[in-house]
Amino acid sequence: MSSQLTEEENGDDSIYDELCIDDESDEFVNNTPSDPGLKQNLNSWPNTYPVVWPLPSSEDPETQAIPSVCSSGRGSTDGAHFIYPLEVRSRTSSLVNGLLTELYDTYRNGTGSGLGLYHDSVDSSTEASGSDAFLSRSNPESAFLLELSERQSRRHQIQFLKQKDWNELKAIKEELRRRIAVQSAKLLRQLKQKDRLKHKVQKNCDIVTACLQAVSQKRRVDTKLKFTLEPSLGKHGFQQWYDALKAVARLPTGIPNEWRRRVWLTLADQYLHSISIDWEKTMRFTFNERSNPDDDSMGIQIVKDLHRTGCSSYCGQEAEQDRVVLKRVLLAYARWNKIVGYCQGFNILAALILEVMEGNEGDALKIMIYLIDKVLPDSYFVNNLRALSVDMAVFRDLLRLKLTDLSHHLDVLQKTANRESGGGYEPPLTNVFTMQWFLTLFATCLPNHTVLKIWDSVFFEGSEIILRVALAIWAKLGAQIECCQNADEFYSTMGRLTQEMLEDNLIDSNELMQTVYSMATFPFPQLAELREKYTYNITPFPAPVRSASFSG
């Protein structure tokens, strides 16, 4: 009987042309051609990465993977820094990037559990078991079954069956039994394939885990790393996933583009869950079509800024419909957070978020909430941008500590500008550029692919990444800035360099992020103290800097 089923099955359907099982080893054999993109991903990065900031080095390359020695003279493993050659890190990063891309290709159409995880393989079974495929045999019984299926109600089906004689019904019954057996065999094969694919996914996750542990710096902590596609259930499930993805973000290749949307949404969903938000209710309130009292004034300001959105698919004449979506998201956030409302720069943040979220308004709002309410410092966009003013003052101190020569040269230009202004006040030279960088999280001065890497790090490491990136940029541009003889020349040079950074890839994204992570330990030394110092000793920007907000 089984041989008969196999014959009829092979002659009837093409699904088995795509699936091959080695009967001797019971192993799944993939006859489909290999994806050239994976091989390209594995070999796309160079073997070394020049870093602007000086990395710890050793005369003997063999000592670069040895933990630092504590003051007592004994090797310390708790908090010790393992310095791996950049060649090792880049190769490991390429391997992880390739594995993550392959995992995503398997995972992207699923929901994280059940048959949906293996959408492509199961769909072939589902299609074969549909009514058209199921009733496709060209014999009288199949024609009868097809005719029976066209009867909509049970009563009509019973009347139709009563018109058939006994021999016809008996033949139809046998045909149904045969087809049920065929479909059962198909389902069994698909379930076995699912188990094999699930095992393969787990094996790849284990390889990623091993790679992350191999290049980690804090050995005792990172031995607990375990990479998973989504946070597992349990008390420590989310934290385990979070630590693993943070380690991926620190690799030269960073988080693969295909994973970014899912990663950001997982972070945002966890935050909303932690503050007990009813998201369906929030969606009804923030995206309702009824106009709220403050909507008109808020909408006017939002519309003014929409045409200044800049380098994204939401600018230009052809993006009119996209700007309608952008306005809805901005207005939804203003309704959600009435204290912050709307601030200049939100249009640029929301446009980039919408691109990552593939135009989904609700998902974009989640990310806006997570970024502004959770990740960035309090009062970054309220109280006349007080927290932003604090970070700009902190940045000048960090510039003085880390880039002494450049900071001294800027001080000389600043004093000269103050004298030339006749005793009037000239704002710090760095403010003109860093203010816009911080407000838009570098979306107006760096290409999108670099900005997205920065945002990945901001989501996992916190707002100090903003200061680190600014320091890395100024370090890269320092040689040209030190050639400036006065403030006017400085502004002209910085304007040109900013344009080159945005359009000509003046700064390599991998080099930039390696500089960001290597310039200091986490958290940044003295950062908390400096922020506290300036929080109570700073004059925030005047009120007109704020675009608009709800009263409240």
Side-chain angles (χ1 to χ4, degrees):
M1 176 67 178
S2 61
S3 61
Q4 180 185 359
L5 288 179
T6 304
E7 272 183 15
E8 293 171 344
E9 185 181 340
N10 288 338
D12 207 26
D13 297 279
S14 62
I15 184 172
Y16 292 104
D17 294 338
E18 300 173 5
L19 304 175
C20 296
I21 303 295
D22 190 334
D23 293 332
E24 295 181 1
S25 62
D26 197 35
E27 290 291 332
F28 171 69
V29 180
N30 185 3
N31 282 339
T32 57
S34 60
D35 180 10
L38 175 59
K39 184 174 181 181
Q40 183 179 358
N41 283 337
L42 292 173
N43 298 292
S44 59
W45 301 115
N47 288 332
T48 57
Y49 290 88
V51 179
V52 179
W53 213 276
L55 285 171
S57 60
S58 171
E59 295 295 332
D60 185 1
E62 295 182 358
T63 65
Q64 292 186 3
I66 299 178
S68 59
V69 179
C70 62
S71 58
S72 63
R74 294 172 297 186
S76 171
T77 57
D78 188 14
H81 290 275
F82 284 69
I83 309 303
Y84 282 84
L86 288 177
E87 181 178 359
V88 175
R89 289 183 58 83
S90 62
R91 288 178 178 174
T92 302
S93 176
S94 296
L95 174 60
V96 171
N97 184 266
L99 286 171
L100 291 179
T101 302
E102 182 178 354
L103 283 169
Y104 174 80
D105 289 339
T106 303
Y107 185 75
R108 58 183 169 180
N109 292 316
T111 58
S113 61
L115 292 175
L117 179 60
Y118 309 100
H119 179 84
D120 293 338
S121 61
V122 177
D123 268 0
S124 58
S125 173
T126 305
E127 291 172 4
S129 62
S131 60
D132 292 339
F134 192 75
L135 303 172
S136 61
R137 287 176 62 88
S138 56
N139 58 27
E141 291 79 9
S142 296
F144 168 79
L145 292 174
L146 183 59
E147 192 176 353
L148 177 64
S149 67
E150 293 173 354
R151 299 315 195 257
Q152 299 298 324
S153 67
R154 182 176 177 81
R155 181 173 61 86
H156 287 96
Q157 290 176 349
I158 293 174
Q159 290 177 354
F160 179 75
L161 289 172
K162 285 180 178 180
Q163 298 172 6
K164 303 299 178 181
D165 60 33
W166 172 256
N167 290 330
E168 283 183 304
L169 293 176
K170 187 176 180 180
I172 292 167
K173 180 181 177 182
E174 291 302 321
E175 177 70 9
L176 285 173
R177 283 182 175 177
R178 191 199 68 81
R179 295 192 176 213
I180 290 172
V182 170
Q183 296 302 316
S184 297
K186 288 182 179 181
L187 179 59
L188 181 61
R189 295 285 288 271
Q190 292 294 333
L191 290 175
K192 287 183 177 180
Q193 185 195 3
K194 178 203 166 184
D195 289 340
R196 292 187 182 93
L197 288 173
K198 187 175 182 180
H199 175 74
K200 181 180 179 181
V201 167
Q202 184 58 54
K203 186 176 180 180
N204 284 348
C205 287
D206 292 341
I207 295 174
V208 173
T209 298
C211 292
L212 295 179
Q213 292 178 354
V215 298
S216 64
Q217 296 182 350
K218 297 181 179 179
R219 303 301 296 165
R220 184 173 296 178
V221 175
D222 291 342
T223 51
K224 299 179 181 179
L225 279 177
K226 185 178 180 181
F227 177 82
T228 56
L229 295 171
E230 284 189 339
S232 57
L233 299 177
K235 182 178 180 181
H236 303 294
F238 176 79
Q239 190 61 45
Q240 191 177 62
W241 173 88
Y242 183 91
D243 292 340
L245 266 295
K246 179 193 283 190
V248 172
R250 289 190 175 194
L251 294 174
T253 51
I255 294 176
N257 292 333
E258 298 88 350
W259 279 73
R260 184 167 286 113
R261 180 183 182 186
R262 185 176 296 276
V263 170
W264 287 12
L265 283 175
T266 303
L267 293 170
D269 285 336
Q270 174 66 18
Y271 169 67
L272 294 171
H273 176 74
S274 69
I275 58 176
S276 303
I277 295 299
D278 183 340
W279 187 246
E280 291 186 1
K281 182 178 179 181
T282 300
M283 286 285 290
R284 289 194 299 270
F285 166 68
T286 55
F287 287 103
N288 73 77
E289 299 298 332
R290 297 188 300 273
S291 178
N292 294 333
D294 297 304
D295 283 358
D296 291 340
S297 59
M298 192 67 54
I300 292 173
Q301 186 58 51
I302 290 174
V303 170
K304 287 181 179 178
D305 286 347
L306 287 183
H307 295 279
R308 298 196 293 264
T309 298
C311 301
S312 77
S313 62
Y314 291 82
C315 61
Q317 294 296 326
E318 67 280 359
E320 191 63 38
Q321 186 58 40
D322 289 336
R323 282 198 290 270
V324 172
V325 176
L326 179 57
K327 178 184 176 182
R328 283 172 52 81
V329 172
L330 293 171
L331 191 58
Y333 179 80
R335 289 170 172 174
W336 158 267
N337 191 333
K338 295 184 179 181
I339 296 177
V340 173
Y342 173 79
C343 181
Q344 281 182 347
F346 278 11
N347 56 317
I348 296 173
L349 300 180
L352 192 54
I353 290 172
L354 272 168
E355 287 185 2
V356 176
M357 296 298 114
E358 300 173 3
N360 187 296
E361 298 176 359
D363 290 346
L365 178 59
K366 286 183 180 180
I367 306 303
M368 286 280 289
I369 293 171
Y370 177 68
L371 174 63
I372 298 172
D373 296 11
K374 176 68 168 60
V375 177
L376 296 178
D378 293 337
S379 301
Y380 218 69
F381 297 103
V382 296
N383 295 335
N384 297 335
L385 312 182
R386 172 175 288 276
L388 177 64
S389 306
V390 168
D391 269 6
M392 291 173 66
V394 169
F395 172 75
R396 292 194 296 274
D397 279 8
L398 294 179
L399 192 70
R400 196 171 295 114
L401 291 171
K402 290 291 183 179
L403 299 171
T404 306
D405 292 343
L406 177 60
S407 176
H408 176 71
H409 182 72
L410 290 173
D411 286 342
V412 172
L413 296 183
Q414 183 78 54
K415 292 176 181 177
T416 303
N418 289 340
R419 286 197 304 269
E420 291 175 353
S421 67
Y425 172 75
E426 284 290 325
L429 297 180
T430 57
N431 279 18
V432 176
F433 300 94
T434 54
M435 178 182 177
Q436 188 182 42
W437 294 358
F438 290 0
L439 268 177
T440 63
L441 301 186
F442 304 97
T444 56
C445 70
L446 293 172
N448 275 6
H449 67 91
T450 304
V451 175
L452 292 174
K453 282 190 175 184
I454 294 172
W455 286 24
D456 290 338
S457 297
V458 170
F459 284 153
F460 282 105
E461 306 286 357
S463 59
E464 74 169 81
I465 290 292
I466 300 172
L467 296 166
R468 287 172 176 260
V469 172
L471 283 171
I473 292 176
W474 284 96
K476 177 70 174 179
L477 306 181
Q480 299 186 60
I481 295 173
E482 289 177 2
C483 295
C484 299
Q485 301 299 317
N486 53 57
D488 289 340
E489 191 175 340
F490 164 78
Y491 289 132
S492 176
T493 299
M494 279 299 296
R496 172 178 57 81
L497 293 176
T498 300
Q499 197 69 18
E500 290 179 8
M501 285 193 297
L502 181 63
E503 297 178 353
D504 302 329
N505 293 319
L506 179 63
I507 295 181
D508 178 76
S509 61
N510 299 317
E511 176 184 322
L512 175 69
M513 296 314 297
Q514 288 303 292
T515 303
V516 165
Y517 283 115
S518 64
M519 65 172 60
T521 58
F522 283 83
F524 206 108
Q526 303 180 359
L527 177 58
E529 293 82 355
L530 287 172
R531 276 178 165 170
E532 184 177 2
K533 165 189 171 183
Y534 283 110
T535 296
Y536 303 102
N537 296 277
I538 194 78
T539 301
F541 292 101
V545 172
R546 292 280 313 286
S547 292
S549 71
F550 284 110
S551 58

